[in-house]
Amino acid sequence: MNGLREALWVLLLGSLLGLELIGKVPPTLHTPLMSGANAISGITMLASLTLIVRAGDNPVLLLLGAASLAFALFNVVGGFVVTDRMLAMFSRRAPAERGGRSN
Amino acid sequence: MNGLREALWVLLLGSLLGLELIGKVPPTLHTPLMSGANAISGITMLASLTLIVRAGDNPVLLLLGAASLAFALFNVVGGFVVTDRMLAMFSRRAPAERGGRSN
Amino acid sequence: MALSTTLSWAIDLLAVLLLALGLKGLSKVRSARSANGLAALAMGLAVVGLLIQELPGPQAWLWIAAGTAIGGLAGLLTAQRVPMTAMPEVVALFNGCGGMASLLVALAVALFQSSEAGLVEIVSIVVSVIVGAITFSGSLVAMGKLQGWIATPGWTQGQVRHGVNIALALVALVAAIALPAGPAGPALPLLVVASTLLGIGVTLPIGGADMPVVISLLNSYSGVAAAAAGFVVGSPLLIVAGAMVGAAGLILTQVMCTAMNRSLLSVLFGGALGGGGTGHVGGGGDEAGYSRITSCSAEECALALEGAERVVFVPGYGLAVAQAQHTLRELAKLLEAQGTEVSYAIHPVAGRMPGHMNVLLAEADVPYEQLVEMDAINPDFPRTDVVIVLGANDVVNPDAKTDPSSPLYGMPVLEVDRSRQVFVVKRSLGAGYAGIRNGLFELPQTAMVFGDAKAVLQSLVTELRSAA
Amino acid sequence: MALSTTLSWAIDLLAVLLLALGLKGLSKVRSARSANGLAALAMGLAVVGLLIQELPGPQAWLWIAAGTAIGGLAGLLTAQRVPMTAMPEVVALFNGCGGMASLLVALAVALFQSSEAGLVEIVSIVVSVIVGAITFSGSLVAMGKLQGWIATPGWTQGQVRHGVNIALALVALVAAIALPAGPAGPALPLLVVASTLLGIGVTLPIGGADMPVVISLLNSYSGVAAAAAGFVVGSPLLIVAGAMVGAAGLILTQVMCTAMNRSLLSVLFGGALGGGGTGHVGGGGDEAGYSRITSCSAEECALALEGAERVVFVPGYGLAVAQAQHTLRELAKLLEAQGTEVSYAIHPVAGRMPGHMNVLLAEADVPYEQLVEMDAINPDFPRTDVVIVLGANDVVNPDAKTDPSSPLYGMPVLEVDRSRQVFVVKRSLGAGYAGIRNGLFELPQTAMVFGDAKAVLQSLVTELRSAA
Ligand SMILES: NC(=O)c1ccc[n+]([C@@H]2O[C@H](COP(=O)([O-])OP(=O)(O)OC[C@H]3O[C@@H](n4cnc5c(N)ncnc54)[C@H](OP(=O)(O)O)[C@@H]3O)[C@@H](O)[C@H]2O)c1
Ligand SMILES: NC(=O)c1ccc[n+]([C@@H]2O[C@H](COP(=O)([O-])OP(=O)(O)OC[C@H]3O[C@@H](n4cnc5c(N)ncnc54)[C@H](OP(=O)(O)O)[C@@H]3O)[C@@H](O)[C@H]2O)c1
């Protein structure tokens, strides 16, 4: 029961923090923010890792764990890379503005 | 050790939340906000109450607990009332604006 | 051991701090890119913290390596190969896989440990399975609709779908209640199937162009699923991060709805908007109902451009479909060379995803300072000589301002009708996403230039070149 | 029992939610007042949750009642009786008492339980004692300085004070390290005394007018002390609430510093600004150094007012000292009756605390819409006929814009020098808080009206009455 109490505290505070963190977002950033947040939600890979480590010799558990790890990492790696690609497009011209037009 | 880990989680998240909650504050509200936050910091009265309840028959503990409770409540009650008084001054004219000048 | 515990836990705290900073930074233009890196770093830290704490054996390392290699490589390749215009689809795909990961973890735990599980554990497993499955199937449907693979079946537009979805939800509920009886029974498969179908049933009726909102909502769900998985394996870090993403996703969904002038409820339960179900071809409205249409050739348009001092391009969904951004940039350079002032009017919901036009034009190296947001450019239209609307429709529809019966009424639009001359480049008189007619086409200062956006732009370039 | 645990803990979660909403709401004008109520409700809830959980016996109830009655009543009476102009002082007093409460709890726990205490407990006790004592003594000094009871001793302005404070901090550190050896030894009293002296030593050198910032910082400390007390008694709610207030207080302190164009470091370590040490009388600058001063009588000023179509009053610290707000309101009403447009220019740091002028004028029922913030009114000065500066000085000093060597350089000021005619009402040519001369007084369009603000306003009222 004690562990649960603390876990629920953490849940409440995490949610409140999430609500506060995102304020006004310019439309340009809607998609990158969505994609970045999506990459973060792949944090569930921690659960997959825990599962694998604690699986012992059970092959089904190991397989399920590895599969879920693959799915989660697909989400994480793909999410961050794609977000970076999007954001790179916006920021590319920032240095060019100083040094004169790049084209 | 486990209790401490959770307590530190709570500390971190609470601090982050506090940092996020206060964004731009109009100068008019600096003093009321300070005073309101000050009233909330009197929450330490919970510690005083716990102390009294767990003091058993120890008169020193009871006395210290009651004294700290009095100090904390002085902070809480005074803080909220004084904040309300300040804020009442700002909002007093809000209804008057609709119904015509009050004077 | 105590040292590694303390260390891994300090790493966890740091990871959450960085994740929070990352999410916050992602919502500001300046910091977005580095914030993305910060969040990625935080995820790496979290993994290191976990490995220090749990110390996997050799066999575990093997499976970890396998999972990492497959998932990571696939993610990397997908992310690098996908064309920019297919962004929302990929995000949906990634998101669905995140949901799948939570689902698999919960399944594994349910299969092997639920005999000694307490109420808390059961509830976390059930939540993880349901939300994970909905996220997975819903995201895949969203992706299919955006790609145009999946159409909107007629029956899903009626009231019957609500009945179907409620029935599915009830089945899932019953299965969830029956779950503690024993993991071997039919309860667990039933739960998975019902939740998966529910994800499909809820997403299928929604129009393709509302999909970005739905994806954002499903993204919030996958955060919830992660938090539930955190309860299942008892990881505070997972709970915090999942809760944070879940809550942030909810806010973002709300923000996106507001930007598109829709309410979340109407997106979720209102069905596909207008006729543009698949979001690829403007459906309803047809070519009927227009009188007084002036159309002109690319040559005439080029003539007007030659004489103009100030030109504004209004890019829309059609420009993206035609992949005409590079040709547009070429035309703009020619105009700039002749001394014309060129800018691009960016409507917040032009295209089919937020920021669509920014991404598109950025790809063609359009200078950032020439992209002007709606509110900034609207006052400038009266002193603009020529406006060229390129495959945009709804975002320049003046009825949104004047006609209370229009479905767009109330949405702010680009007020191109206040400029001296407007050319609308599109293939036909077909409607846009909202499936309605556009009063702009009939105005005296408007001329239609029919054709594919890229083809028309190409002939404009040719004309201007030969004139110079 | 299990039920009461669950209940009290659900109440705790709710209380934190409400506290967060309260803090958030307090930073917006619309919601501030109800947010204050919400926070108060949350505190009440937290107490109920605790009592349900701990179930005090009859003796405990007795002591609780005694503490509540004394503290609550004293707080209520103080809060209701104190004049609005003494607000910062009372807040400092309340804040100090909050620190004292944390200090007492930690002392009690240290005295009776530290034999079996672990490292965590010791650390929390030490933090609670140190921060609590600093908050207490610092706040009382702040209050004393604001009231003018305590002057700034000369030696505190030199470098020697840093030595003293560092020595005190070292003593406290040594005492903290020695504490686990046994609560009966001299470590605990030493810790308390050193921390208390440190609080005094840090606050004493700071000028009276920087006190609001210091109080805000000490307020943040009292949050930290509460969080530490939460560790001592093991209450997550207390930890969260304390951490929240501590962090929010830090941000607020920063915001206040920015508004006053000072850095936190220079407030803390820079000593009293200029000569206005006690913040009650403009010290330095004296009457020397002015040439070309025009002074005039109240009658002449009244004549100018009669002919004006647009009048702006600039209230400052002197108006608060003279308690002339009601007379000012009377004058404004007379002007409005004759058809003059009246407004009040509110500089963000006019007076001695943020929002000072708003509070002051609100007390005299000045309509809210006549109070105009600096940024909004500055463009309007060129079309203003008469500006009357009432006991303000630094906030209308044009040197802040033009003279890079001025201590005020860079602070935005009210640009009254751009209006047609300026009357400055003050008692002498004495300087304001920053202790520097004011170029405004020498401008050709400026005329000084020497005298107490209330007296001058009173004669203006008399003049206007007799003229009407
Ligand atoms: N941005 C977002 O996040 C988002 C998300 C969901 C929904 N939406 C909605 O999508 C709409 C966006 O407005 P919009 O003005 O950009 O687009 P639109 O109103 O959908 O109009 C696009 C137009 O492009 C034309 N077109 C299609 N292919 C073309 C081609 N190859 N060459 C030239 N023209 C072509 C079509 O006309 P023809 O068929 O005659 O060529 C169509 O009328 C809004 O209603 C918005 O609410 C936006
Ligand atoms: N608002 C805040 O939060 C805050 C906090 C800390 C510091 N400060 C600082 O305080 C200053 C505020 O500027 P300010 O223009 O309001 O005030 P100020 O610059 O301090 O000037 C006040 C003036 O009022 C005059 N005065 C005093 N008593 C008077 C009376 N009874 N009747 C008429 N005049 C009287 C004084 O001149 P005589 O002696 O000649 O009469 C003095 O020059 C700024 O420098 C600001 O940075 C503000």
Side-chain angles (χ1 to χ4, degrees):
Chain A
M1 186 66 191
N2 208 42
L4 175 67
R5 285 181 62 164
E6 262 77 34
L8 284 174
W9 271 111
V10 167
L11 182 70
L12 174 77
L13 292 174
S15 308
L16 287 180
L17 192 56
L19 290 179
E20 287 301 319
L21 281 174
I22 309 294
K24 280 193 197 122
V25 194
T28 325
L29 284 183
H30 287 178
T31 307
L33 175 56
M34 175 166 86
S35 156
N38 170 43
I40 297 179
S41 74
I43 187 89
T44 190
M45 68 178 167
L46 294 186
S48 320
L49 283 172
T50 314
L51 192 66
I52 298 181
V53 174
R54 298 191 188 158
D57 282 331
N58 186 327
V60 184
L61 273 187
L62 282 172
L63 195 70
L64 278 176
S68 86
L69 180 62
F71 274 112
L73 263 176
F74 181 67
N75 185 355
V76 173
V77 175
F80 280 124
V81 173
V82 110
T83 309
D84 191 65
R85 268 187 69 194
M86 288 189 233
L87 292 172
M89 300 213 135
F90 301 137
S91 54
R92 203 186 322 162
R93 259 74 32 81
E97 267 170 45
R98 277 180 238 122
R101 291 268 176 77
S102 57
N103 36 33
Chain B
M1 185 68 189
N2 208 42
L4 175 67
R5 285 181 61 165
E6 261 78 34
L8 284 174
W9 271 110
V10 167
L11 181 69
L12 173 77
L13 292 174
S15 310
L16 287 179
L17 194 57
L19 290 180
E20 287 300 319
L21 280 175
I22 309 294
K24 280 194 195 121
V25 194
T28 325
L29 284 184
H30 287 178
T31 307
L33 176 55
M34 176 165 88
S35 154
N38 170 43
I40 297 179
S41 74
I43 187 89
T44 191
M45 69 178 165
L46 295 185
S48 319
L49 283 172
T50 314
L51 192 67
I52 297 182
V53 174
R54 298 189 187 159
D57 282 333
N58 187 326
V60 184
L61 273 187
L62 282 172
L63 196 67
L64 277 177
S68 85
L69 181 62
F71 273 111
L73 264 176
F74 181 66
N75 185 356
V76 173
V77 174
F80 281 124
V81 173
V82 109
T83 310
D84 192 65
R85 267 188 69 194
M86 287 189 232
L87 292 171
M89 300 214 135
F90 300 137
S91 55
R92 203 187 321 161
R93 257 75 34 78
E97 266 170 47
R98 275 177 240 122
R101 292 270 176 73
S102 58
N103 37 32
Chain C
M1 185 60 201
L3 182 68
S4 76
T5 308
T6 311
L7 185 65
S8 84
W9 155 87
I11 291 181
D12 279 9
L13 287 192
L14 185 63
V16 164
L17 198 71
L18 292 184
L19 279 183
L21 283 179
L23 262 182
K24 194 179 167 68
L26 269 173
S27 59
K28 297 194 183 59
V29 177
R30 260 161 200 280
S31 53
R33 200 170 177 196
S34 56
N36 186 49
L38 216 60
L41 177 72
M43 303 280 275
L45 267 182
V47 171
V48 171
L50 185 89
L51 294 178
I52 291 181
Q53 165 81 357
E54 299 274 348
L55 291 177
Q59 194 184 11
W61 271 118
L62 213 74
W63 287 94
I64 291 177
T68 307
I70 297 176
L73 220 68
L76 191 67
L77 291 182
T78 314
Q80 282 180 337
R81 299 265 161 99
V82 67
M84 268 298 149
T85 39
M87 272 314 152
E89 288 94 308
V90 224
V91 175
L93 178 64
F94 290 146
N95 190 49
C97 291
M100 184 50 132
S102 299
L103 172 62
L104 288 179
V105 171
L107 278 185
V109 174
L111 283 177
F112 290 90
Q113 303 187 339
S114 67
S115 51
E116 75 262 30
L119 181 65
V120 180
E121 194 150 46
I122 300 276
V123 171
S124 349
I125 289 177
V126 166
V127 171
S128 210
V129 168
I130 295 184
V131 182
I134 291 182
T135 307
F136 178 67
S137 60
S139 297
L140 290 197
V141 170
M143 177 185 167
K145 295 204 105 176
L146 282 173
Q147 287 280 15
W149 295 338
I150 302 178
T152 310
W155 65 267
T156 60
Q157 298 302 303
Q159 293 303 314
V160 58
R161 69 191 162 111
H162 296 307
V164 172
N165 289 336
I166 291 173
L168 285 171
L170 284 179
V171 172
L173 192 70
V174 170
I177 293 172
L179 194 63
L188 194 58
L190 195 64
L191 186 64
V192 174
V193 172
S195 310
T196 307
L197 289 179
L198 187 57
I200 299 176
V202 166
T203 321
L204 204 54
I206 301 174
D210 279 333
M211 276 308 147
V213 178
V214 177
I215 297 175
S216 173
L217 187 67
L218 289 170
N219 179 23
S220 164
Y221 286 2
S222 74
V224 175
F231 274 92
V232 173
V233 301
S235 155
L237 170 55
L238 201 44
I239 299 178
V240 175
M244 238 159 55
V245 172
L250 212 59
I251 296 285
L252 179 59
T253 309
Q254 188 52 51
V255 169
M256 286 170 69
C257 275
T258 313
M260 277 197 261
N261 197 33
R262 300 207 63 182
S263 84
L264 187 54
L265 278 186
S266 76
V267 167
L268 290 183
F269 301 115
L273 189 68
T278 68
H280 265 223
V281 187
D286 254 354
E287 326 231 335
Y290 285 108
S291 51
R292 286 171 296 154
I293 291 289
T294 320
S295 106
C296 78
S297 65
E299 291 77 50
E300 290 171 78
C301 180
L303 269 174
L305 281 178
E306 275 169 35
E309 286 186 7
R310 193 179 134 82
V311 172
V312 172
F313 292 110
V314 178
Y317 174 64
L319 188 77
V321 172
Q323 284 292 311
Q325 64 272 31
H326 297 283
T327 323
L328 171 58
R329 176 74 184 114
E330 223 181 310
L331 176 64
K333 274 196 219 162
L334 284 177
L335 288 174
E336 283 171 310
Q338 84 178 24
T340 311
E341 187 191 339
V342 173
S343 40
Y344 304 78
I346 307 295
H347 190 284
V349 301
R352 284 297 179 271
M353 63 173 186
H356 202 162
M357 293 303 119
N358 299 66
V359 171
L360 197 73
L361 297 179
E363 216 184 36
D365 273 325
V366 170
Y368 195 73
E369 57 279 12
Q370 291 184 1
L371 306 184
V372 190
E373 300 269 336
M374 175 172 64
D375 294 334
I377 205 162
N378 265 345
D380 284 350
F381 280 119
R383 61 177 198 86
T384 300
D385 303 311
V386 174
V387 169
I388 307 221
V389 177
L390 292 156
N393 191 337
D394 298 341
V395 299
V396 292
N397 195 332
D399 301 345
K401 286 178 299 181
T402 52
D403 178 5
S405 71
S406 163
L408 292 178
Y409 187 67
M411 176 171 95
V413 291
L414 290 164
E415 297 168 354
V416 296
D417 47 317
R418 292 168 59 207
S419 62
R420 307 214 179 103
Q421 207 173 359
V422 182
F423 293 95
V424 179
V425 179
K426 63 202 293 284
R427 297 164 311 173
S428 65
L429 282 173
Y433 163 60
I436 56 167
R437 69 196 302 280
N438 190 336
L440 176 73
F441 302 166
E442 294 181 335
L443 293 182
Q445 68 269 44
T446 304
M448 310 296 295
V449 186
F450 289 117
D452 174 80
K454 190 165 189 172
V456 172
L457 282 169
Q458 195 56 61
S459 28
L460 287 177
V461 168
T462 318
E463 289 294 327
L464 281 182
R465 280 249 169 75
S466 64
Chain D
M1 188 56 201
L3 182 70
S4 78
T5 308
T6 311
L7 186 65
S8 85
W9 155 87
I11 290 181
D12 278 10
L13 288 191
L14 186 63
V16 164
L17 197 72
L18 292 184
L19 279 183
L21 282 178
L23 262 182
K24 194 179 168 67
L26 268 172
S27 59
K28 296 191 184 62
V29 177
R30 260 164 199 279
S31 54
R33 200 170 177 197
S34 56
N36 186 50
L38 217 59
L41 177 72
M43 303 280 276
L45 268 181
V47 171
V48 171
L50 185 91
L51 293 179
I52 291 180
Q53 166 82 357
E54 300 272 349
L55 290 176
Q59 194 183 11
W61 272 117
L62 213 73
W63 288 95
I64 291 177
T68 308
I70 297 176
L73 221 67
L76 192 66
L77 290 181
T78 314
Q80 283 180 337
R81 300 265 161 100
V82 66
M84 268 297 147
T85 38
M87 273 311 152
E89 289 94 307
V90 223
V91 175
L93 178 64
F94 289 146
N95 190 48
C97 291
M100 183 49 129
S102 300
L103 172 63
L104 287 179
V105 171
L107 279 185
V109 175
L111 283 177
F112 289 91
Q113 305 187 338
S114 69
S115 51
E116 76 262 32
L119 180 65
V120 180
E121 194 150 43
I122 300 277
V123 172
S124 349
I125 289 177
V126 166
V127 172
S128 210
V129 168
I130 295 185
V131 182
I134 291 183
T135 307
F136 178 67
S137 61
S139 297
L140 290 196
V141 170
M143 176 184 166
K145 295 202 104 175
L146 281 173
Q147 286 279 15
W149 293 338
I150 302 178
T152 311
W155 65 268
T156 60
Q157 298 301 303
Q159 294 303 314
V160 59
R161 70 191 160 112
H162 296 307
V164 172
N165 288 336
I166 291 172
L168 285 173
L170 284 179
V171 172
L173 193 70
V174 170
I177 293 171
L179 193 62
L188 194 58
L190 195 62
L191 187 65
V192 174
V193 171
S195 310
T196 307
L197 289 179
L198 186 58
I200 299 176
V202 166
T203 321
L204 204 53
I206 300 174
D210 279 334
M211 276 307 146
V213 177
V214 176
I215 296 175
S216 174
L217 188 67
L218 289 171
N219 179 23
S220 165
Y221 286 1
S222 74
V224 174
F231 275 90
V232 173
V233 302
S235 154
L237 171 55
L238 200 43
I239 299 178
V240 176
M244 239 159 54
V245 172
L250 211 60
I251 296 285
L252 180 58
T253 309
Q254 188 52 52
V255 169
M256 285 169 69
C257 276
T258 313
M260 276 197 265
N261 198 33
R262 301 208 63 182
S263 83
L264 188 52
L265 279 185
S266 77
V267 167
L268 289 183
F269 302 116
L273 189 70
T278 67
H280 266 221
V281 187
D286 252 355
E287 327 233 333
Y290 287 107
S291 50
R292 286 173 297 154
I293 290 289
T294 321
S295 104
C296 78
S297 66
E299 290 78 50
E300 291 171 77
C301 181
L303 268 176
L305 282 179
E306 274 169 35
E309 286 185 6
R310 195 179 133 82
V311 172
V312 172
F313 292 110
V314 179
Y317 175 64
L319 187 77
V321 173
Q323 285 292 309
Q325 63 271 32
H326 297 282
T327 323
L328 171 59
R329 177 73 185 114
E330 221 180 313
L331 176 63
K333 275 196 218 162
L334 283 177
L335 288 173
E336 284 171 309
Q338 86 179 24
T340 311
E341 187 191 339
V342 173
S343 41
Y344 304 78
I346 307 295
H347 190 284
V349 300
R352 284 299 179 271
M353 63 173 185
H356 202 162
M357 292 302 120
N358 298 66
V359 171
L360 197 72
L361 296 179
E363 216 183 36
D365 272 325
V366 170
Y368 196 72
E369 58 279 10
Q370 291 184 0
L371 306 184
V372 190
E373 300 271 334
M374 175 173 64
D375 294 334
I377 206 160
N378 264 344
D380 285 350
F381 279 120
R383 61 176 198 85
T384 300
D385 303 311
V386 175
V387 169
I388 306 219
V389 177
L390 292 156
N393 192 337
D394 297 340
V395 299
V396 292
N397 195 331
D399 300 346
K401 285 178 299 179
T402 52
D403 179 6
S405 71
S406 162
L408 290 179
Y409 186 66
M411 176 172 97
V413 291
L414 290 164
E415 297 168 353
V416 296
D417 48 318
R418 293 168 59 209
S419 62
R420 309 216 177 101
Q421 207 173 359
V422 182
F423 293 94
V424 178
V425 179
K426 63 201 293 284
R427 296 165 309 174
S428 66
L429 282 173
Y433 163 60
I436 56 167
R437 69 197 299 280
N438 190 336
L440 176 73
F441 302 166
E442 293 180 335
L443 292 181
Q445 68 269 46
T446 305
M448 310 296 295
V449 186
F450 290 118
D452 174 80
K454 189 164 189 174
V456 172
L457 283 169
Q458 195 57 59
S459 27
L460 287 177
V461 168
T462 318
E463 288 295 326
L464 280 182
R465 281 250 170 75
S466 63

